Amino acid sequence: MPADVIATPLPDCPDIEQAFAVSWPVRLGDTDGDDRLRLDAVARYLQDIGFDHLDAVADGDLHQAWIVRRTVIDVYEPIMFGDRVQLRRWADALSNRWCDMRIQLKGERGGHIEAAAFLIHIDPVAGRPARMSDAFMAPMLASTTEHRLRWRAALTELDDPEVEATSFPLRVTDVDRLGHVNNAVYWEAVEEALAAHPDRHQLPYRAIVEHVGPVMAGDKVVLRTSLRPGGLRVQLDVDGVARALGSVDRLPAR
């Protein structure tokens, strides 16, 4: 992975008190057998605060269609079942059709996760990237310094001939209103790989999912896993073609 594509650690908010903030309890369906908030639940949390944030900004109702290009989740301390999690969300960089949003999750009992999402604004009719309105961009422009954000991939397709390959069946509930498999489902695949190799996500760790093509209802998905020192790589294929790339690696202590 190119070291300069994703900052380590993820950049802090210039003024955390000005970030959009919400909180809610961590419920049973969000956690695993060890009471840990799962990565797919974190991905849903990022979606939920994103839509709550749209309700709080100018022209939010005109910007309801987004595609997630990449999600980064840095887990420093797990957030646990029964805890109340405080989420803060702010823009880190943007262009006029996409943005990189930062989200901080902190549990009242010490859990700590930092996340980033590269989001592309979509015209829901044309199905292609669309310019964000001036009113919508105004608060992001005022609080950021990078206004010519460009996409740079952090992951490459697997080239390891010794990968583990398993079927990853889709369900009707995995498909969202845009007809795509929801972003959180890809993180379920990462959780499947980690469950098979529990030694590969010792704290602190960074998990990444990058999307290289859509997965649609009815697709026959294969989950491919490659073990690396201190981590693993995953890839979701449809008909032998990569549709999503993922990784889990150790992080230096924050």
Side-chain angles (χ1 to χ4, degrees):
M1 179 194 309
D4 58 345
V5 173
I6 303 173
T8 305
L10 293 171
D12 290 328
C13 184
D15 185 353
I16 194 66
E17 297 305 318
Q18 295 302 311
F20 178 75
V22 294
S23 69
W24 53 67
V26 176
R27 297 184 170 91
L28 185 64
D30 299 328
T31 54
D32 65 7
D34 295 321
D35 286 345
R36 171 188 63 94
L37 180 66
R38 299 189 315 271
L39 293 172
D40 61 296
V42 174
R44 285 194 300 274
Y45 284 12
L46 304 189
Q47 292 176 145
D48 291 344
I49 189 177
F51 279 101
D52 287 352
H53 199 173
L54 288 176
D55 288 340
V57 296
D59 283 358
D61 59 324
L62 304 179
H63 297 75
Q64 295 288 310
W66 298 84
I67 287 178
V68 181
R69 190 72 170 86
R70 173 171 57 221
T71 307
V72 181
I73 299 176
D74 290 351
V75 181
Y76 290 95
E77 293 292 338
I79 296 172
M80 308 300 289
F81 170 64
D83 202 355
R84 188 169 189 88
V85 61
Q86 175 79 31
L87 299 95
R88 293 184 173 89
R89 186 177 191 266
W90 66 93
D92 181 56
L94 72 153
S95 184
N96 59 20
R97 288 173 172 79
W98 45 76
C99 55
D100 201 39
M101 300 300 293
R102 279 276 287 110
I103 307 92
Q104 180 186 80
L105 301 85
K106 286 196 170 182
E108 291 181 341
R109 298 197 296 250
H112 181 196
I113 296 172
E114 301 283 344
F118 191 106
L119 307 175
I120 302 174
H121 178 236
I122 298 295
D123 181 322
V125 176
R128 59 175 178 263
R131 188 184 188 280
M132 296 177 280
S133 75
D134 291 342
F136 185 82
M137 286 190 289
M140 294 192 287
L141 291 169
S143 61
T144 56
T145 58
E146 176 54 73
H147 301 153
R148 294 182 178 273
L149 177 66
R150 298 186 184 279
W151 168 255
R152 295 178 64 198
L155 303 178
T156 58
E157 293 186 23
L158 291 178
D159 57 5
D160 183 354
E162 301 299 323
V163 298
E164 303 170 6
T166 58
S167 175
F168 186 74
L170 299 177
R171 296 170 174 81
V172 66
T173 52
D174 293 336
V175 180
D176 62 22
R177 64 191 296 267
L178 297 177
H180 297 156
V181 168
N182 187 267
N183 178 54
V185 176
Y186 298 83
W187 286 95
E188 293 176 5
V190 176
E191 285 282 355
E192 289 283 345
L194 289 175
H197 304 283
D199 60 322
R200 301 290 165 153
H201 63 309
Q202 297 177 5
L203 294 168
Y205 65 89
R206 166 171 287 178
I208 302 171
V209 168
E210 285 189 349
H211 302 269
V212 294
V215 177
M216 311 296 287
D219 283 345
K220 306 300 182 184
V221 182
V222 174
L223 169 61
R224 302 173 66 204
T225 305
S226 174
L227 301 183
R228 306 293 172 91
L232 55 79
R233 290 285 312 280
V234 299
Q235 183 169 305
L236 292 179
D237 290 356
V238 176
D239 296 329
V241 178
R243 299 296 175 87
L245 313 174
S247 66
V248 179
D249 293 290
R250 290 295 303 276
L251 270 176
R254 190 174 173 88

